[in-house]
Amino acid sequence: AQKITQTQPGMFVQEKEAVTLDCTYDTSDPSYGLFWYKQPSSGEMIFLIYQGSYDQQNATEGRYSLNFQKARKSANLVISASQLGDSAMYFCAMREGKDSGYSTLTFGKGTMLLVSP
Amino acid sequence: EPEVTQTPSHQVTQMGQEVILRCVPISNHLYFYWYRQILGQKVEFLVSFYNNEISEKSEIFDDQFSVERPDGSNFTLKIRSTKLEDSAMYFCASNRGDTDTQYFGPGTRLTVL
């Protein structure tokens, strides 16, 4: 079974609108972390936002927020007020088992977001 | 703002040759990683490294791969005898011990001919 599932291969949004990128995860570990990374066409991986399994509040970072629904095992990324520069591939990733220190990340297949003027 | 750096940005090699990919993690980070991304596919974990030894490795990380921290700043990935299927983007990442957010370098695109 896939540990991270991103069901949207591609998403389109108009500039200034909000968009939600879906991510569901599968783990039996009570301690885990969820991450979103952005990969523009230049190829680098840019960290966007993190949510720990024990965090009570949904994580927010500027225009990015993470809609964390633990019972449903979903960690959707919400981008408010989309900008042309948001056009990129977005990856959801999970860290299992350890609260901190070293941890391997398991990635989903990604969602390509295209923002149109 | 400190960042992870990687050299070279692009490496072209012949099948069977050895390659060394170099990374300089963020200076106060303790944990180091290599990941790879075959074109159009998801990012896959290769190996993690802490305190001068491998902490964990994936099935991909076979005897053809090795990692080393030769000095206080560099972290290298060596592929002894490259295969066509090693063509991919290789990312180095690092994190501090008190948080597990991993910061990635810009990647090295390896092309094996």
Side-chain angles (χ1 to χ4, degrees):
Chain A
Q2 295 285 330
K3 292 210 170 197
I4 295 286
T5 302
Q6 294 180 254
T7 56
Q8 307 152 315
M11 288 285 285
F12 293 90
V13 67
Q14 278 207 305
E15 206 177 0
K16 298 178 187 172
E17 292 186 350
V19 62
T20 298
L21 306 184
D22 294 342
C23 173
T24 57
Y25 59 92
D26 182 25
T27 181
S28 56
D29 207 302
S31 175
Y32 54 91
L34 296 154
F35 303 79
W36 278 92
Y37 287 86
K38 171 184 178 182
Q39 187 176 42
S41 57
S42 50
E44 69 267 36
M45 294 285 287
I46 302 167
F47 166 72
L48 295 178
I49 197 166
Y50 166 79
Q51 179 86 42
S53 59
Y54 296 121
D55 293 344
Q56 297 294 315
Q57 305 275 353
N58 284 347
T60 59
E61 289 284 350
R63 293 186 299 111
Y64 304 109
S65 60
L66 202 151
N67 184 1
F68 181 46
Q69 298 188 40
K70 198 169 182 177
R72 297 178 61 183
K73 293 191 174 178
S74 74
N76 299 338
L77 177 70
V78 181
I79 305 174
S80 63
S82 299
Q83 300 172 356
L84 296 178
D86 294 335
S87 293
M89 183 72 91
Y90 288 80
F91 290 98
C92 180
M94 178 171 65
R95 177 273 299 159
E96 293 177 279
K98 300 175 181 63
D99 292 319
S100 63
Y102 98 85
S103 53
T104 65
L105 295 181
T106 303
F107 283 81
K109 293 184 178 180
T111 295
M112 175 64 79
L113 176 67
L114 290 176
V115 181
S116 59
Chain B
E1 187 174 321
E3 55 185 23
V4 178
T5 59
Q6 290 185 243
T7 54
S9 57
H10 193 180
Q11 174 98 42
V12 181
T13 189
Q14 295 288 331
M15 191 169 57
Q17 295 295 304
E18 174 183 286
V19 294
I20 298 176
L21 310 182
R22 291 183 167 79
C23 168
V24 179
I26 295 173
S27 62
N28 63 346
H29 285 192
L30 302 176
Y31 301 87
F32 315 120
Y33 311 82
W34 285 101
Y35 293 82
R36 80 170 186 192
Q37 184 183 30
I38 295 171
L39 188 63
Q41 298 187 24
K42 64 180 179 180
V43 178
E44 301 172 292
F45 167 75
L46 292 178
V47 66
S48 60
F49 192 86
Y50 169 70
N51 202 24
N52 282 321
E53 59 183 26
I54 290 174
S55 307
E56 188 174 347
K57 58 184 180 180
S58 71
E59 291 176 354
I60 304 167
F61 195 88
D62 62 21
D63 292 344
Q64 292 299 312
F65 291 89
S66 63
V67 288
E68 194 178 35
R69 188 153 163 84
D71 53 44
S73 59
N74 290 284
F75 179 50
T76 62
L77 174 70
K78 183 193 291 186
I79 309 174
R80 285 189 187 79
S81 178
T82 50
K83 308 184 194 72
L84 295 176
E85 54 265 37
D86 293 329
S87 293
M89 180 77 97
Y90 287 82
F91 290 104
C92 174
S94 68
N95 72 283
R96 298 189 334 228
D98 57 340
T99 74
D100 55 10
T101 297
Q102 293 181 25
Y103 293 91
F104 282 68
T108 293
R109 183 167 298 285
L110 176 65
T111 303
V112 182
L113 302 175

